[in-house]
Each structure stands twice: as C-alpha cells, then as structure tokens.
Amino acid sequence: MYLEDLDPTDVDLAAIEAEWPLIAAELDALDAEIALLAAADSGGPTDLDWRRHRRAEARLTRVAAVVARPSWSADGCVPHRLAVVGWTGCVYRCEIVRCPECGGEQVIHRTADGCPGAPRTAGPRRAA
C-alpha cells in the first residue's frame, strides 16, 4: 500500500464536511470543560464559566439531534458510499449525492447550518 492510497476520497471529504457542525460543537464543549478545570486553580469557576459550559452543552445536544446524513430512501444504499455530484446553489451549500450502485440521487440539506429547504416536522395539532 502506498501513501497515495491513504488520501481521503471526495466521498470521505464530503462526509467529514457533513459532520463538521457536530465536530465544532464537540470542540466548543471540550473548550468549556477545560476552562472549568483551569478555573479551579484560580479560585474556582465563575458564573460566566458555568454559563459558557451550559451553552456549549446545549449546542452540542442540538447539533447531535440533527441527523448529519438522513436515511437513504432506496433500499440497499449505504449512506457513507454516496458520492457528492453537485450542490443545490443555496447559501448553505446543500449537497446533491448519488448512490454508485443504483444511480439514485438525493439532496442532503444542511439542517445543522439552518437551511430552510430541509423538511420540517409538523408541530402538535390543536383541538378545534
């Protein structure tokens, strides 16, 4: 095996980019925890330190709840093998992906970044 064989493919890079909001949220939560530990040496964490930690944890929870890759609608397609074949042109850089086995295409909206084109679930119904 040569070093060239170890380079990530375009599909690998697209998967990393799709997971980046979660990675960034995890790094923010880690930074907040480190700040809490470091504050112990200087008299303990302040209210601001605790607030930063709570906000980082809340953001991590919100981002983790968003599915980075929605389930593929075609039976037998494996999401990590989808190839990015284009972008929708919206400011969120939503991806158009294609399954190499069946040729089916799907748009993956970047819900973690706030894309309004992502499908929304209906809220609770009110009794009439």
Side-chain angles (χ1 to χ4, degrees), residues 86-119:
W87 288 269
T88 61
C90 74
V91 297
Y92 301 98
R93 305 237 338 128
C94 297
E95 301 169 338
I96 302 170
V97 295
R98 179 179 300 141
C99 174
E101 280 109 31
C102 73
E105 290 187 354
Q106 178 176 342
V107 173
I108 296 181
H109 294 281
R110 299 181 63 96
T111 55
D113 294 337
C115 177

Side-chain angles (χ1 to χ4, degrees), residues 22-110:
L22 179 60
I23 294 168
E26 288 174 340
L27 289 173
D28 288 345
L30 179 62
D31 286 344
E33 289 178 21
I34 290 171
L36 287 177
L37 293 172
D41 293 336
S42 60
T46 65
D47 290 339
L48 186 60
D49 292 329
W50 285 111
R51 179 176 181 211
R52 179 178 178 216
H53 183 262
R54 285 191 308 270
R55 291 177 62 114
E57 289 293 324
R59 178 174 177 240
L60 177 58
T61 301
R62 279 193 314 272
V63 172
V66 174
V67 178
R69 293 279 183 186
S71 60
W72 186 245
S73 58
D75 291 335
C77 295
V78 182
H80 71 271
R81 291 189 184 158
L82 301 178
V84 177
V85 295
W87 288 269
T88 61
C90 74
V91 297
Y92 301 98
R93 305 237 338 128
C94 297
E95 301 169 338
I96 302 170
V97 295
R98 179 179 300 141
C99 174
E101 280 109 31
C102 73
E105 290 187 354
Q106 178 176 342
V107 173
I108 296 181
H109 294 281
R110 299 181 63 96

